[in-house]
């Protein structure tokens, strides 16, 4: 089925030239071929490697991640990661090409077809730049930590705001969390999401003093109890990490007792925090790019 630089399909497709990104020694289970709007083909190969996923363990370093719009991710260690710089440039290019396409009214012309392909190409470029960034950041995060805690992305009340909702849907947080989750499971690490009602930005991470709501443009605050200036996002990430550790401790004792995790109350609001079960034995898939034609 698979040999140097090509994939052999049964049926009419026959042998297809392919860029295979890694050696596949084990039994192939399924192949899914998808066609991108810009004409590229991808084959996703599901391989049985005969290995069980390692038992998840939570012994080791725990990191909290606050995903945001100003920085893509801020960690409880104090690191801030921004979206790739050149993404903005491609997005401007996309807008330009989309305008050009919308000016071509006659649907049958060759010019319109070309404009449509040009739009698809930029789309594809953007999604490759973004997924490259997300893959690298999720890989680094999983490599350096044993437990990864992320705030659930039905993020707060931000989605009610239309402008923010658009930015949120573009940000790639969902894809990022999916990557963190499967990479963590693959390596026997623990991935945990914190419920959306956890007030990560409204607690001092040192003293748990409740901080009044701040506008999104307020990037740091002075805590009256510990007299420190807290960076808003790093403080939130630390709270997320601490909450993850708390849930993990509860979750382990709760599974041991065979009971559900009961949410703890924060102030007046009750929370719907629960531990996310770590699935075992997820099949491993390998993505391969093919050049068809
Ligand atoms: Zn404080």
């Amino acid at each position: 089925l698979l040999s140097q630089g090509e994939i052999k399909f049964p049926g009419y497709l026959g042998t297809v030239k392919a860029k295979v990104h890694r050696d596949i020694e084990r039994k192939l289970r399924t192949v899914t071929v998808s066609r991108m709007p810009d004409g590229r083909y991808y084959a996703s190969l599901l391989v049985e490697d005969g290995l069980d996923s390692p038992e998840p363990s939570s012994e080791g370093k725990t990191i909290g991640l606050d995903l945001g719009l100003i920085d893509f991710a801020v960690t409880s260690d104090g690191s801030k990661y921004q979206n790739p710089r050149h993404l903005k440039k491609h997005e401007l290019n996309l807008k330009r090409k989309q305008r050009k396409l919308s000016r071509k009214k006659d649907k049958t012309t060759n010019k319109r077809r070309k404009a449509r392909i040009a739009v698809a190409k930029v789309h594809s470029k953007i999604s490759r730049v973004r997924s490259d960034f997300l893959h690298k950041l999720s890989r680094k995060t999983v490599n350096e930590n044993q437990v990864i805690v992320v705030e659930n992305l039905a993020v707060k009340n931000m989605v009610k705001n239309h402008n923010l909702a658009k930015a949120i849907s573009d940000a790639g947080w969902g894809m990022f969390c999916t990557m963190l989750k499967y990479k963590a499971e693959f390596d026997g690490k623990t991935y945990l999401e914190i419920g959306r009602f956890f007030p990560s930005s409204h607690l001092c991470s040192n003293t748990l003093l409740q901080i009044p709501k701040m506008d999104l443009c307020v990037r740091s605050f002075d805590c009256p109890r510990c007299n420190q200036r807290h960076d808003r996002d790093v403080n939130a990430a630390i709270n997320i990490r601490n909450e993850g550790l708390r849930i993990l401790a509860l979750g382990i004792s709760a599974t041991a007792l065979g009971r559900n995790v009961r949410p703890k109350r924060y102030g007046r609001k009750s929370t719907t925090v629960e531990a996310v079960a770590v699935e075992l034995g997820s099949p491993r898939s390998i993505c391969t790019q093919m050049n068809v034609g």
Side-chain angles (χ1 to χ4, degrees):
L1 240 159
L2 201 77
S3 59
Q4 287 284 307
E6 55 188 32
I7 301 179
K8 207 177 281 171
F9 289 96
Y12 75 100
L13 263 177
T15 306
V16 170
K17 264 195 217 157
K19 245 186 235 170
V20 182
H21 295 296
R22 56 178 108 167
D23 288 336
I24 298 158
E25 296 140 359
R26 304 294 177 136
K27 208 176 139 210
L28 206 54
R29 260 174 45 190
T30 58
V31 180
T32 311
V33 180
S34 42
R35 182 181 190 272
M36 297 296 141
D38 67 344
R40 262 171 233 267
Y41 285 83
Y42 287 88
S44 179
L45 312 179
L46 190 62
V47 182
E48 194 77 78
D49 63 5
L51 302 171
D52 292 325
S53 291
E55 271 305 313
S57 152
S58 52
E59 299 278 310
K61 190 167 168 252
T62 299
I63 196 166
L65 292 180
D66 180 46
L67 304 181
L69 290 170
I70 291 166
D71 295 297
F72 176 79
V74 176
T75 75
S76 50
D77 298 341
S79 304
K80 298 186 173 187
Y81 297 96
Q82 292 189 327
N83 272 308
R85 258 159 220 269
H86 41 298
L87 208 56
K88 200 94 231 145
K89 187 185 79 191
H90 293 306
E91 279 165 355
L92 290 175
N93 188 19
L94 179 64
K95 282 212 180 99
R96 221 183 58 228
K97 296 246 156 71
Q98 277 169 333
R99 272 201 301 275
K100 219 168 168 181
L101 174 62
S102 68
R103 280 200 299 269
K104 309 247 179 304
K105 297 284 186 246
D106 186 352
K107 299 222 159 145
T108 54
T109 62
N110 215 22
K111 273 189 178 162
R112 187 176 194 281
R113 195 182 61 87
K114 277 189 183 149
R116 195 173 49 76
I117 290 171
V119 168
K121 277 206 168 128
V122 187
H123 258 302
S124 158
K125 177 79 191 167
I126 289 173
S127 84
R128 274 176 291 135
V129 167
R130 175 171 290 135
S131 97
D132 181 62
F133 164 70
L134 298 177
H135 269 300
K136 283 178 181 151
L137 185 56
S138 57
R139 177 38 65 204
K140 178 179 153 67
T141 307
V142 171
N143 280 352
E144 292 173 0
N145 299 281
Q146 185 61 37
V147 179
I148 298 113
V149 190
V150 183
E151 192 158 48
N152 186 324
L153 298 169
V155 187
K156 310 281 168 177
N157 297 319
M158 287 162 91
V159 193
K160 281 182 197 154
N161 178 327
H162 274 292
N163 282 333
L164 280 177
K166 162 97 175 79
I168 287 165
S169 68
D170 289 348
W173 294 336
M175 194 190 274
F176 184 61
C177 291
T178 307
M179 288 177 180
L180 281 175
K181 184 170 191 285
Y182 80 73
K183 284 175 187 175
E185 283 170 13
F186 196 89
D187 290 357
K189 298 184 170 185
T190 301
Y191 169 83
L192 201 62
E193 277 183 11
I194 300 302
R196 59 184 293 195
F197 297 111
F198 177 66
S200 60
S201 341
H202 307 298
L203 290 174
C204 162
S205 56
N206 284 337
T207 62
L208 300 183
L209 178 73
Q210 290 212 17
I211 308 293
K213 275 217 162 160
M214 294 167 280
D215 210 65
L216 270 178
C217 61
V218 180
R219 304 318 304 162
S220 62
F221 61 89
D222 295 310
C223 170
R225 193 176 285 172
C226 68
N227 293 318
Q228 275 184 35
R229 173 156 291 185
H230 297 289
D231 176 284
R232 177 197 182 115
D233 298 325
V234 175
N235 179 68
I238 295 171
N239 282 329
I240 290 165
R241 183 196 62 196
N242 293 344
E243 177 64 2
L245 287 170
R246 189 187 69 82
I247 289 173
L248 216 56
L250 273 179
I252 288 164
S253 58
T255 21
L257 294 166
R259 265 197 259 124
N260 285 330
V261 179
R262 298 295 306 166
K264 187 182 162 187
R265 282 173 182 278
Y266 288 95
R268 277 165 294 154
K269 264 187 201 159
S270 70
T271 58
T272 52
V273 177
E274 52 182 63
V276 175
V278 180
E279 293 155 19
L280 285 172
S282 47
R284 292 143 191 236
S285 95
I286 291 164
C287 212
T288 297
Q289 187 186 329
M290 299 193 308
N291 301 315
V292 174

